[in-house]
Short mmCIF file of all heavy atoms in Angstrom, two decimals:
data_model
loop_
_atom_site.label_atom_id
_atom_site.label_comp_id
_atom_site.label_asym_id
_atom_site.label_seq_id
_atom_site.Cartn_x
_atom_site.Cartn_y
_atom_site.Cartn_z
N LYS J 19 0.84 -1.21 0.00
CA LYS J 19 0.00 0.00 0.00
C LYS J 19 0.87 1.26 0.00
O LYS J 19 0.56 2.23 -0.69
CB LYS J 19 -0.93 0.03 1.21
CG LYS J 19 -2.10 -0.89 1.10
CD LYS J 19 -3.02 -0.72 2.28
CE LYS J 19 -4.23 -1.61 2.13
NZ LYS J 19 -5.21 -1.42 3.19
N ASN J 20 1.94 1.24 0.77
CA ASN J 20 2.85 2.39 0.79
C ASN J 20 3.56 2.55 -0.54
O ASN J 20 3.72 3.66 -1.04
CB ASN J 20 3.87 2.26 1.92
CG ASN J 20 3.26 2.43 3.28
OD1 ASN J 20 2.06 2.63 3.43
ND2 ASN J 20 4.08 2.35 4.31
N LEU J 21 3.97 1.43 -1.14
CA LEU J 21 4.66 1.50 -2.43
C LEU J 21 3.76 2.11 -3.49
O LEU J 21 4.22 2.88 -4.34
CB LEU J 21 5.13 0.11 -2.87
CG LEU J 21 6.18 -0.56 -1.99
CD1 LEU J 21 6.55 -1.92 -2.56
CD2 LEU J 21 7.40 0.30 -1.80
N THR J 22 2.47 1.78 -3.45
CA THR J 22 1.52 2.33 -4.41
C THR J 22 1.43 3.85 -4.25
O THR J 22 1.39 4.59 -5.24
CB THR J 22 0.14 1.68 -4.23
OG1 THR J 22 0.29 0.26 -4.40
CG2 THR J 22 -0.86 2.20 -5.23
N ARG J 23 1.41 4.32 -3.01
CA ARG J 23 1.39 5.77 -2.77
C ARG J 23 2.67 6.43 -3.28
O ARG J 23 2.63 7.47 -3.95
CB ARG J 23 1.26 6.04 -1.27
CG ARG J 23 -0.09 5.73 -0.71
CD ARG J 23 -0.17 6.13 0.77
NE ARG J 23 -1.29 5.50 1.38
CZ ARG J 23 -1.25 4.40 2.14
NH1 ARG J 23 -0.09 3.86 2.43
NH2 ARG J 23 -2.34 3.88 2.64
N PHE J 24 3.81 5.81 -2.96
CA PHE J 24 5.09 6.37 -3.41
C PHE J 24 5.16 6.39 -4.94
O PHE J 24 5.64 7.36 -5.52
CB PHE J 24 6.26 5.56 -2.86
CG PHE J 24 6.30 5.44 -1.37
CD1 PHE J 24 6.85 4.31 -0.78
CD2 PHE J 24 5.81 6.42 -0.53
CE1 PHE J 24 6.92 4.18 0.60
CE2 PHE J 24 5.86 6.31 0.85
CZ PHE J 24 6.41 5.18 1.42
N LYS J 25 4.69 5.32 -5.56
CA LYS J 25 4.71 5.22 -7.03
C LYS J 25 3.96 6.39 -7.64
O LYS J 25 4.45 7.06 -8.55
CB LYS J 25 4.09 3.90 -7.48
CG LYS J 25 3.98 3.74 -8.98
CD LYS J 25 3.32 2.40 -9.33
CE LYS J 25 3.22 2.22 -10.82
NZ LYS J 25 1.96 2.71 -11.38
N ARG J 26 2.77 6.65 -7.14
CA ARG J 26 1.96 7.75 -7.66
C ARG J 26 2.68 9.10 -7.48
O ARG J 26 2.73 9.92 -8.39
CB ARG J 26 0.59 7.76 -6.97
CG ARG J 26 -0.37 8.80 -7.51
CD ARG J 26 -1.76 8.70 -6.90
NE ARG J 26 -1.71 8.56 -5.46
CZ ARG J 26 -2.19 7.51 -4.78
NH1 ARG J 26 -2.74 6.51 -5.39
NH2 ARG J 26 -2.11 7.49 -3.46
N GLN J 27 3.27 9.31 -6.30
CA GLN J 27 3.99 10.56 -6.03
C GLN J 27 5.18 10.73 -6.98
O GLN J 27 5.38 11.80 -7.57
CB GLN J 27 4.47 10.60 -4.59
CG GLN J 27 3.37 10.72 -3.57
CD GLN J 27 3.86 10.50 -2.13
OE1 GLN J 27 5.05 10.33 -1.89
NE2 GLN J 27 2.93 10.51 -1.19
N PHE J 28 5.96 9.66 -7.14
CA PHE J 28 7.14 9.74 -8.01
C PHE J 28 6.73 9.92 -9.48
O PHE J 28 7.41 10.62 -10.23
CB PHE J 28 8.03 8.50 -7.85
CG PHE J 28 8.75 8.43 -6.54
CD1 PHE J 28 8.89 7.22 -5.87
CD2 PHE J 28 9.30 9.56 -5.95
CE1 PHE J 28 9.56 7.14 -4.66
CE2 PHE J 28 9.98 9.49 -4.74
CZ PHE J 28 10.11 8.28 -4.09
N GLU J 29 5.63 9.30 -9.90
CA GLU J 29 5.16 9.49 -11.27
C GLU J 29 4.77 10.94 -11.52
O GLU J 29 5.12 11.52 -12.55
CB GLU J 29 3.96 8.58 -11.56
CG GLU J 29 4.32 7.13 -11.79
CD GLU J 29 3.12 6.24 -11.94
OE1 GLU J 29 2.06 6.50 -11.33
OE2 GLU J 29 3.24 5.24 -12.70
N LYS J 30 4.05 11.53 -10.56
CA LYS J 30 3.63 12.93 -10.69
C LYS J 30 4.84 13.86 -10.78
O LYS J 30 4.79 14.89 -11.45
CB LYS J 30 2.74 13.34 -9.51
CG LYS J 30 1.35 12.79 -9.60
CD LYS J 30 0.52 13.26 -8.41
CE LYS J 30 -0.88 12.68 -8.48
NZ LYS J 30 -1.69 13.13 -7.32
N GLU J 31 5.91 13.51 -10.09
CA GLU J 31 7.14 14.31 -10.09
C GLU J 31 8.04 13.99 -11.28
O GLU J 31 9.09 14.61 -11.45
CB GLU J 31 7.90 14.10 -8.78
CG GLU J 31 7.14 14.58 -7.55
CD GLU J 31 7.77 14.14 -6.24
OE1 GLU J 31 8.90 13.61 -6.25
OE2 GLU J 31 7.12 14.32 -5.20
N GLY J 32 7.66 13.00 -12.08
CA GLY J 32 8.46 12.61 -13.24
C GLY J 32 9.71 11.84 -12.87
O GLY J 32 10.67 11.82 -13.64
N LEU J 33 9.71 11.19 -11.71
CA LEU J 33 10.91 10.49 -11.21
C LEU J 33 10.85 8.98 -11.37
O LEU J 33 11.85 8.30 -11.16
CB LEU J 33 11.11 10.83 -9.73
CG LEU J 33 11.35 12.29 -9.41
CD1 LEU J 33 11.37 12.50 -7.90
CD2 LEU J 33 12.64 12.78 -10.03
N LEU J 34 9.69 8.43 -11.72
CA LEU J 34 9.52 6.98 -11.81
C LEU J 34 9.03 6.64 -13.21
O LEU J 34 8.18 7.35 -13.76
CB LEU J 34 8.51 6.49 -10.76
CG LEU J 34 8.35 4.99 -10.69
CD1 LEU J 34 8.38 4.54 -9.23
CD2 LEU J 34 7.07 4.55 -11.33
N PHE J 35 9.56 5.57 -13.76
CA PHE J 35 9.25 5.19 -15.14
C PHE J 35 8.72 3.77 -15.21
O PHE J 35 9.21 2.88 -14.52
CB PHE J 35 10.50 5.30 -16.01
CG PHE J 35 11.22 6.59 -15.84
CD1 PHE J 35 12.36 6.67 -15.06
CD2 PHE J 35 10.74 7.75 -16.44
CE1 PHE J 35 13.03 7.87 -14.89
CE2 PHE J 35 11.40 8.95 -16.27
CZ PHE J 35 12.55 9.02 -15.49
N GLU J 36 7.73 3.56 -16.08
CA GLU J 36 7.24 2.22 -16.38
C GLU J 36 8.12 1.67 -17.48
O GLU J 36 8.17 2.23 -18.58
CB GLU J 36 5.78 2.27 -16.79
CG GLU J 36 4.86 2.69 -15.67
CD GLU J 36 3.39 2.61 -16.04
OE1 GLU J 36 3.05 2.33 -17.21
OE2 GLU J 36 2.56 2.84 -15.14
N VAL J 37 8.80 0.59 -17.21
CA VAL J 37 9.77 0.03 -18.15
C VAL J 37 9.05 -0.89 -19.14
O VAL J 37 9.19 -0.74 -20.34
CB VAL J 37 10.89 -0.73 -17.41
CG1 VAL J 37 11.90 -1.31 -18.38
CG2 VAL J 37 11.57 0.19 -16.41
N PHE J 38 8.30 -1.85 -18.63
CA PHE J 38 7.53 -2.75 -19.48
C PHE J 38 6.48 -3.46 -18.64
O PHE J 38 6.54 -3.42 -17.41
CB PHE J 38 8.43 -3.78 -20.20
CG PHE J 38 9.16 -4.73 -19.29
CD1 PHE J 38 8.61 -5.94 -18.93
CD2 PHE J 38 10.42 -4.41 -18.80
CE1 PHE J 38 9.29 -6.82 -18.09
CE2 PHE J 38 11.12 -5.28 -17.97
CZ PHE J 38 10.54 -6.49 -17.61
N LYS J 39 5.53 -4.09 -19.31
CA LYS J 39 4.52 -4.90 -18.63
C LYS J 39 4.81 -6.35 -18.95
O LYS J 39 5.14 -6.70 -20.08
CB LYS J 39 3.12 -4.52 -19.08
CG LYS J 39 2.75 -3.12 -18.65
CD LYS J 39 1.34 -2.77 -19.03
CE LYS J 39 1.14 -1.30 -18.78
NZ LYS J 39 0.19 -0.92 -17.86
N GLY J 40 4.73 -7.18 -17.93
CA GLY J 40 4.99 -8.60 -18.11
C GLY J 40 4.55 -9.36 -16.88
O GLY J 40 3.96 -8.78 -15.96
N LEU J 41 4.83 -10.64 -16.84
CA LEU J 41 4.47 -11.44 -15.68
C LEU J 41 5.43 -11.14 -14.54
O LEU J 41 6.65 -11.17 -14.71
CB LEU J 41 4.51 -12.93 -16.01
CG LEU J 41 3.45 -13.43 -16.98
CD1 LEU J 41 3.59 -14.94 -17.18
CD2 LEU J 41 2.06 -13.10 -16.49
N CYS J 42 4.86 -10.84 -13.39
CA CYS J 42 5.65 -10.58 -12.20
C CYS J 42 6.33 -11.87 -11.76
O CYS J 42 5.69 -12.92 -11.70
CB CYS J 42 4.74 -10.04 -11.09
SG CYS J 42 5.56 -9.85 -9.50
N LYS J 43 7.60 -11.79 -11.45
CA LYS J 43 8.34 -12.97 -10.99
C LYS J 43 7.84 -13.47 -9.64
O LYS J 43 8.00 -14.63 -9.31
CB LYS J 43 9.83 -12.66 -10.91
CG LYS J 43 10.46 -12.39 -12.25
CD LYS J 43 11.92 -12.00 -12.10
CE LYS J 43 12.52 -11.66 -13.46
NZ LYS J 43 13.92 -11.21 -13.33
N LYS J 44 7.22 -12.59 -8.86
CA LYS J 44 6.74 -12.95 -7.52
C LYS J 44 5.32 -13.52 -7.58
O LYS J 44 5.04 -14.57 -7.01
CB LYS J 44 6.79 -11.71 -6.62
CG LYS J 44 6.30 -11.94 -5.21
CD LYS J 44 7.26 -12.79 -4.44
CE LYS J 44 6.75 -12.96 -3.03
NZ LYS J 44 7.30 -14.11 -2.38
N THR J 45 4.40 -12.81 -8.25
CA THR J 45 2.99 -13.19 -8.23
C THR J 45 2.56 -14.02 -9.42
O THR J 45 1.49 -14.64 -9.39
CB THR J 45 2.09 -11.94 -8.19
OG1 THR J 45 2.26 -11.21 -9.41
CG2 THR J 45 2.41 -11.08 -6.99
N LYS J 46 3.35 -14.00 -10.48
CA LYS J 46 3.02 -14.68 -11.75
C LYS J 46 1.80 -14.07 -12.44
O LYS J 46 1.18 -14.68 -13.28
CB LYS J 46 2.80 -16.19 -11.55
CG LYS J 46 3.90 -16.91 -10.82
CD LYS J 46 5.20 -16.86 -11.58
CE LYS J 46 6.23 -17.71 -10.89
NZ LYS J 46 7.48 -17.08 -10.64
N HIS J 47 1.46 -12.84 -12.06
CA HIS J 47 0.37 -12.11 -12.70
C HIS J 47 0.95 -10.97 -13.52
O HIS J 47 2.07 -10.51 -13.27
CB HIS J 47 -0.60 -11.53 -11.66
CG HIS J 47 -1.39 -12.58 -10.94
ND1 HIS J 47 -2.51 -13.16 -11.47
CD2 HIS J 47 -1.20 -13.16 -9.73
CE1 HIS J 47 -2.99 -14.06 -10.62
NE2 HIS J 47 -2.20 -14.08 -9.56
N ARG J 48 0.18 -10.48 -14.48
CA ARG J 48 0.62 -9.36 -15.30
C ARG J 48 0.81 -8.12 -14.42
O ARG J 48 -0.05 -7.80 -13.59
CB ARG J 48 -0.42 -9.08 -16.39
CG ARG J 48 0.04 -8.10 -17.42
CD ARG J 48 -0.83 -8.21 -18.67
NE ARG J 48 -0.61 -7.13 -19.59
CZ ARG J 48 0.43 -7.04 -20.40
NH1 ARG J 48 1.36 -7.98 -20.38
NH2 ARG J 48 0.57 -6.02 -21.22
N ALA J 49 1.94 -7.46 -14.59
CA ALA J 49 2.27 -6.30 -13.76
C ALA J 49 3.21 -5.38 -14.53
O ALA J 49 3.76 -5.75 -15.56
CB ALA J 49 2.93 -6.76 -12.46
N THR J 50 3.38 -4.20 -13.99
CA THR J 50 4.27 -3.21 -14.59
C THR J 50 5.61 -3.21 -13.86
O THR J 50 5.66 -3.10 -12.64
CB THR J 50 3.64 -1.81 -14.50
OG1 THR J 50 2.35 -1.85 -15.12
CG2 THR J 50 4.50 -0.78 -15.19
N TYR J 51 6.67 -3.34 -14.63
CA TYR J 51 8.03 -3.26 -14.09
C TYR J 51 8.45 -1.80 -14.07
O TYR J 51 8.24 -1.06 -15.04
CB TYR J 51 9.00 -4.09 -14.92
CG TYR J 51 8.90 -5.57 -14.61
CD1 TYR J 51 7.85 -6.33 -15.08
CD2 TYR J 51 9.86 -6.18 -13.81
CE1 TYR J 51 7.75 -7.68 -14.77
CE2 TYR J 51 9.77 -7.53 -13.50
CZ TYR J 51 8.72 -8.27 -13.98
OH TYR J 51 8.62 -9.60 -13.66
N LEU J 52 9.02 -1.37 -12.95
CA LEU J 52 9.32 0.04 -12.69
C LEU J 52 10.80 0.27 -12.42
O LEU J 52 11.51 -0.65 -12.00
CB LEU J 52 8.54 0.49 -11.44
CG LEU J 52 7.05 0.19 -11.42
CD1 LEU J 52 6.49 0.39 -10.02
CD2 LEU J 52 6.33 1.06 -12.43
N THR J 53 11.22 1.52 -12.62
CA THR J 53 12.56 1.95 -12.23
C THR J 53 12.55 3.46 -12.04
O THR J 53 11.67 4.14 -12.55
CB THR J 53 13.63 1.54 -13.26
OG1 THR J 53 14.93 1.79 -12.70
CG2 THR J 53 13.51 2.31 -14.55
N THR J 54 13.53 3.95 -11.30
CA THR J 54 13.74 5.39 -11.19
C THR J 54 15.02 5.79 -11.91
O THR J 54 15.44 6.93 -11.85
CB THR J 54 13.81 5.85 -9.71
OG1 THR J 54 14.82 5.10 -9.04
CG2 THR J 54 12.48 5.65 -9.01
N SER J 55 15.64 4.85 -12.60
CA SER J 55 16.90 5.07 -13.30
C SER J 55 16.66 5.24 -14.80
O SER J 55 16.15 4.33 -15.46
CB SER J 55 17.84 3.89 -13.07
OG SER J 55 18.93 3.94 -13.96
N ILE J 56 17.05 6.37 -15.33
CA ILE J 56 16.93 6.59 -16.78
C ILE J 56 17.81 5.61 -17.53
O ILE J 56 17.43 5.10 -18.59
CB ILE J 56 17.28 8.05 -17.14
CG1 ILE J 56 16.20 8.98 -16.57
CG2 ILE J 56 17.40 8.23 -18.65
CD1 ILE J 56 16.47 10.44 -16.72
N GLU J 57 18.99 5.29 -16.98
CA GLU J 57 19.90 4.34 -17.62
C GLU J 57 19.25 2.96 -17.76
O GLU J 57 19.33 2.33 -18.81
CB GLU J 57 21.22 4.23 -16.84
CG GLU J 57 22.08 5.47 -16.90
CD GLU J 57 21.64 6.56 -15.91
OE1 GLU J 57 20.87 6.27 -14.96
OE2 GLU J 57 22.05 7.71 -16.10
N LEU J 58 18.60 2.50 -16.68
CA LEU J 58 17.93 1.19 -16.76
C LEU J 58 16.73 1.25 -17.69
O LEU J 58 16.47 0.29 -18.42
CB LEU J 58 17.49 0.73 -15.36
CG LEU J 58 18.61 0.29 -14.43
CD1 LEU J 58 18.06 -0.04 -13.04
CD2 LEU J 58 19.33 -0.92 -15.00
N LEU J 59 16.01 2.35 -17.70
CA LEU J 59 14.88 2.51 -18.61
C LEU J 59 15.36 2.38 -20.05
O LEU J 59 14.77 1.62 -20.83
CB LEU J 59 14.22 3.88 -18.39
CG LEU J 59 13.10 4.24 -19.36
CD1 LEU J 59 11.90 3.32 -19.18
CD2 LEU J 59 12.70 5.69 -19.18
N LEU J 60 16.42 3.09 -20.40
CA LEU J 60 16.94 3.04 -21.77
C LEU J 60 17.47 1.67 -22.12
O LEU J 60 17.34 1.21 -23.25
CB LEU J 60 18.00 4.11 -21.95
CG LEU J 60 17.52 5.56 -21.85
CD1 LEU J 60 18.68 6.52 -21.92
CD2 LEU J 60 16.47 5.87 -22.91
N LYS J 61 18.07 1.00 -21.16
CA LYS J 61 18.62 -0.34 -21.39
C LYS J 61 17.52 -1.32 -21.80
O LYS J 61 17.69 -2.13 -22.69
CB LYS J 61 19.32 -0.83 -20.12
CG LYS J 61 19.87 -2.22 -20.22
CD LYS J 61 20.54 -2.63 -18.91
CE LYS J 61 20.96 -4.07 -18.93
NZ LYS J 61 21.53 -4.49 -17.66
N TYR J 62 16.36 -1.23 -21.13
CA TYR J 62 15.27 -2.16 -21.41
C TYR J 62 14.39 -1.71 -22.57
O TYR J 62 13.73 -2.52 -23.19
CB TYR J 62 14.40 -2.36 -20.17
CG TYR J 62 15.03 -3.29 -19.17
CD1 TYR J 62 15.88 -2.80 -18.17
CD2 TYR J 62 14.80 -4.65 -19.20
CE1 TYR J 62 16.47 -3.65 -17.26
CE2 TYR J 62 15.37 -5.50 -18.30
CZ TYR J 62 16.22 -5.00 -17.31
OH TYR J 62 16.80 -5.85 -16.41
N LYS J 63 14.37 -0.42 -22.86
CA LYS J 63 13.52 0.10 -23.94
C LYS J 63 14.16 -0.05 -25.31
O LYS J 63 13.47 -0.01 -26.31
CB LYS J 63 13.19 1.59 -23.70
CG LYS J 63 12.25 1.82 -22.55
CD LYS J 63 10.84 1.48 -22.94
CE LYS J 63 9.88 1.88 -21.85
NZ LYS J 63 8.50 1.63 -22.20
N VAL J 64 15.48 -0.19 -25.37
CA VAL J 64 16.18 -0.25 -26.66
C VAL J 64 16.02 -1.56 -27.34
O VAL J 64 15.59 -2.52 -27.02
CB VAL J 64 17.68 0.07 -26.47
CG1 VAL J 64 18.45 -0.14 -27.75
CG2 VAL J 64 17.83 1.47 -25.97
#
């Protein structure tokens, strides 16, 4: 619940990025993979 709040705050501030959507390694359900690193975002988006 706290992570969801933080995610929303960081998104509004332009500090958090959605990298891709895929199956979560923990839950095995479709989920969004996140990062706050532009370098990691570019690595996965290329």
Side-chain angles (χ1 to χ4, degrees):
K19 284 184 177 184
N20 289 1
L21 296 180
T22 302
R23 289 184 197 101
F24 303 149
K25 177 181 180 269
R26 185 175 46 241
Q27 291 170 4
F28 290 140
E29 284 175 328
K30 285 181 181 180
E31 296 169 10
L33 298 173
L34 185 134
F35 311 101
E36 293 185 355
V37 180
F38 63 91
K39 294 183 190 242
L41 292 181
C42 174
K43 294 177 183 177
K44 179 70 178 158
T45 65
K46 308 297 186 231
H47 291 279
R48 190 162 169 77
T50 304
Y51 281 76
L52 309 166
T53 190
T54 55
S55 167
I56 292 174
E57 291 81 16
L58 288 176
L59 174 66
L60 295 175
K61 177 180 173 183
Y62 282 89
K63 289 284 187 177
V64 173

